[in-house]
């Protein structure tokens, strides 16, 4: 498949069966993520962002609609991708390097071919010298950076990230945002990025998909027409502020965001 | 990605170093040892002050005298009991852990075996122990069987609980790597269950001692349980206490061995646990 979107959602819905009745998490979600595109999914807490991400990876059954990756319908777990969850999800019993190498082991790739790359990736996120520590010896932010390396080690064409920087402090977060942009610019990857943060979404994305509160629907899709590579200063420009305001207005209209 | 570590190093040196000049084992052992010494001294003074006869309550000095003079006899019986305890425990591990794996991975096992197992626990094992003598005679096997029956339940339960309590994200993660059930078990479920399994093993080893003694009470011609009965019928209370000292030592040493193995196998868990205890102090 040379043309067409990389990842495509068509009227995707999800109903959770819970103890006190069905929970309607997603309702008719339709949009595409193109090749080499960086798309953010932005929405209030509980609107179904994580759910959509898990469904798109084939890890959670959907209740209706179709999802395709490279034209093929998603049925069952997809392996041509890397995932970063909201929490680091490191294996406590493995040292940092072995946590990253889990990806290689399970995929039956050759360990000796990836060991060096794993070390380089860890070094690139400031974890040089921590390769042989256990996760409990790291800070929360360091753990999340290990999780990011684990999602990148096998160089997947698609990167799914669920609020990967949510647990980081503001400074590390800015650095990670810049690093992610660089990584994306240098690679051919498609990134599907879930976030709560309007500036983060606008800064990183080609397009921002804004979702409504539960049941999650696509409210609006913004194409962010700002030059790349973007620098942190871009957040002070009129154009950037206009995008952020337009998105904020949607949340205000929903009452998710209340101004005084 | 060129990036500086903005967050800096993890806070402080490791826990063991943070305790300061007093080595960890000193603080670990000095409290219980101090408490025991205090108790023994109190006991000695109490018995002497009340002028209690030795057949009622011998002072610790006399008990330890017997421990020393009768050490050959006691050790001989202790070896028998220890063998029974260990065999019962090993049998529990060999049967209990695979059974738990079966319960977790098969609906059939879960529905059929598990309820039977749980309800069978309401039958006191001591009540069926005499039956084993009828079936298997006075040898080692019936004692091992009682030790096994008492100690294997906590192993099964703790293993089942451990294997089941996995964060869903961990399963998602490894599935996205293309893992099948075997990989998921080997790389996630089993290691994740180890702390819980060791919790069960520690209970099991102490219960196994109880089981072996119960087995010996029912019918035996050697072992510390047998010695206890003999000493009791001869009103040789000093020997009785000496046997108890041996029994306690066996229990403590076996427990510590299990803890050592735990420490060696799951250092990641043990260190984290120490940290939590330190912070709560
Ligand atoms: N396993 C589940 N069973 C029942 N309901 C669920 C389950 N998982 C999620 N939900 C519900 O579905 C809705 C969407 O959840 P989801 O985790 O996708 O939200 P989210 O947009 O990722 O929120 P956040 O930004 O806080 O992470 C929530 O209202 C939640 O209560
Ligand atoms: Mg979420």
């Amino acid at each position: 498949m040379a043309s067409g979107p990389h990842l495509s959602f068509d009227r995707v819905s999800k109903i959770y069966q819970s103890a006190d009745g069905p929970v309607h998490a997603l309702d008719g979600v339709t949009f595409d993520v193109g090749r080499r595109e960086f798309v953010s999914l932005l929405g209030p807490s509980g609107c179904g962002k994580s759910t959509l991400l898990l469904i798109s990876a084939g890890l959670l059954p959907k209740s209706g609609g179709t999802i395709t990756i490279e034209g093929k319908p998603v049925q069952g777990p997809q392996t041509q991708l890397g995932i970063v969850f909201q929490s680091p999800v490191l294996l406590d019993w493995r040292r940092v390097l072995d946590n990253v190498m889990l990806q290689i082991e399970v995929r039956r790739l050759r360990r000796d071919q990836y060991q060096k790359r794993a070390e380089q990736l860890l070094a690139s996120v400031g974890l040089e010298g921590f390769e042989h520590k256990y996760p409990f010896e790291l800070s929360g932010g360091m753990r999340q950076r290990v999780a990011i390396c684990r999602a990148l080690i096998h160089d997947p064409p698609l990167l799914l990230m669920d609020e990967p920087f949510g647990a980081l402090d503001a400074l590390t977060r800015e650095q990670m945002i810049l690093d992610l942009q660089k990584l994306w610019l240098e690679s051919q990857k498609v990134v599907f990025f879930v976030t709560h943060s309007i500036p983060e979404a606008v800064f990183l994305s080609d397009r921002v998909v804004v979702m409504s509160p539960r049941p999650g629907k696509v409210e609006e899709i913004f194409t962010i027409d700002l030059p790349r590579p973007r620098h942190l200063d871009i957040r002070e420009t009129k154009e950037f502020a206009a995008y952020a305001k337009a998105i904020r207005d949607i949340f205000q209209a929903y009452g998710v965001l209340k101004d005084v | 990605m060129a990036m500086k570590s903005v967050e800096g190093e993890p806070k402080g040196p490791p826990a063991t170093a943070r305790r300061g000049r007093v080595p960890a084992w000193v603080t670990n052992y000095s409290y219980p040892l101090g408490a025991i010494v205090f108790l023994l001294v109190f006991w000695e003074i109490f018995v002497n002050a009340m002028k209690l006869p030795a057949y009622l309550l011998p002072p610790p000095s006399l008990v330890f005298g017997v421990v020393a003079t009768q050490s050959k006899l006691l050790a001989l019986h202790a070896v028998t009991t220890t063998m029974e305890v260990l065999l019962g425990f090993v049998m529990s591990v060999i049967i209990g852990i695979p059974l738990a794996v079966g319960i977790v991975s098969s609906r059939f096992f879960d529905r059929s075996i598990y309820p039977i197992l749980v309800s069978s626990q309401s039958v006191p094992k001591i009540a069926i122990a005499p039956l084993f003598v009828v079936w298997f005679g006075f040898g080692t096997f019936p004692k091992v069987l009682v030790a096994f029956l008492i100690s294997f339940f906590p192993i099964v339960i703790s293993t089942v609980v451990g294997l089941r309590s996995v964060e869903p994200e961990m399963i998602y993660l490894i599935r996205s790597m293309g893992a099948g059930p075997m990989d998921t078990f080997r790389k996630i479920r089993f290691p994740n269950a180890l702390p819980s399994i060791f919790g069960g093993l520690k209970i099991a080893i102490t219960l196994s001692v109880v089981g072996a003694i119960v087995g010996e009470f029912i019918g035996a011609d050697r072992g510390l349980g047998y010695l206890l009965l003999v000493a009791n019928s001869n009103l040789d209370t000093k020997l009785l206490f000496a046997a108890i000292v041996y029994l306690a030592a066996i229990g403590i040493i076996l427990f510590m061995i299990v803890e050592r193995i735990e420490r060696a196998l799951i250092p990641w868990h043990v260190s984290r646990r120490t940290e939590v205890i330190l912070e709560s102090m």
Side-chain angles (χ1 to χ4, degrees), chain A residues 147-249:
Chain A
I148 293 170
C149 293
R150 183 181 55 197
L152 292 172
I153 179 75
H154 56 306
D155 200 16
L158 173 61
L159 198 54
L160 302 176
M161 306 182 95
D162 191 353
E163 294 180 44
F165 309 145
L168 302 186
D169 65 287
L171 270 178
T172 312
R173 191 173 177 143
E174 298 210 327
Q175 187 64 60
M176 293 302 293
I177 289 172
L178 288 172
D179 289 344
L180 181 60
Q181 174 181 244
K182 184 151 171 278
L183 172 96
W184 175 78
L185 284 172
E186 287 167 359
S187 71
Q188 305 280 322
K189 287 189 203 318
V190 178
V191 182
F192 183 41
F193 186 89
V194 169
T195 179
H196 271 139
S197 158
I198 298 174
E200 196 171 278
V202 174
F203 184 87
L204 281 169
S205 310
D206 294 321
R207 286 188 302 146
V208 178
V209 177
V210 179
M211 283 178 80
S212 68
R214 208 186 62 212
K217 286 187 289 288
V218 175
E219 186 59 38
E220 203 163 331
I221 299 178
F222 292 87
T223 303
I224 310 296
D225 208 357
L226 296 171
R228 303 247 191 201
R230 296 171 188 165
H231 303 283
L232 289 176
D233 304 344
I234 204 170
R235 291 177 300 185
E236 273 86 61
T237 62
K238 267 211 306 292
E239 294 82 358
F240 190 97
Y243 285 123
K245 178 171 169 27
I247 296 170
R248 209 162 47 238
D249 284 345

Side-chain angles (χ1 to χ4, degrees), chain B residues 11-47:
Chain B
K11 294 120 209 143
T16 39
R18 212 193 300 164
R19 279 173 179 246
R21 258 161 291 144
V22 188
W25 63 268
V26 173
T27 37
N28 283 349
Y29 291 118
S30 58
Y31 285 95
L33 279 181
I36 289 170
V37 167
F38 175 80
L39 216 71
L40 291 178
V41 169
F42 176 79
W43 177 359
E44 184 83 34
I45 293 170
F46 176 78
V47 171

Side-chain angles (χ1 to χ4, degrees), chain A residues 56-75:
Chain A
S56 67
L59 295 169
L60 208 63
K62 56 192 182 302
S63 309
T66 329
I67 299 176
T68 56
I69 293 182
E70 302 202 68
K72 289 190 278 293
V74 169
Q75 275 152 347

Side-chain angles (χ1 to χ4, degrees), chain A residues 16 18 23 25 44-51 86 163 196 214:
Chain A
Y16 282 109
S18 76
V23 177
S45 181
C47 75
K49 303 183 296 295
S50 298
T51 303
Q86 252 171 300
E163 294 180 44
H196 271 139
R214 208 186 62 212

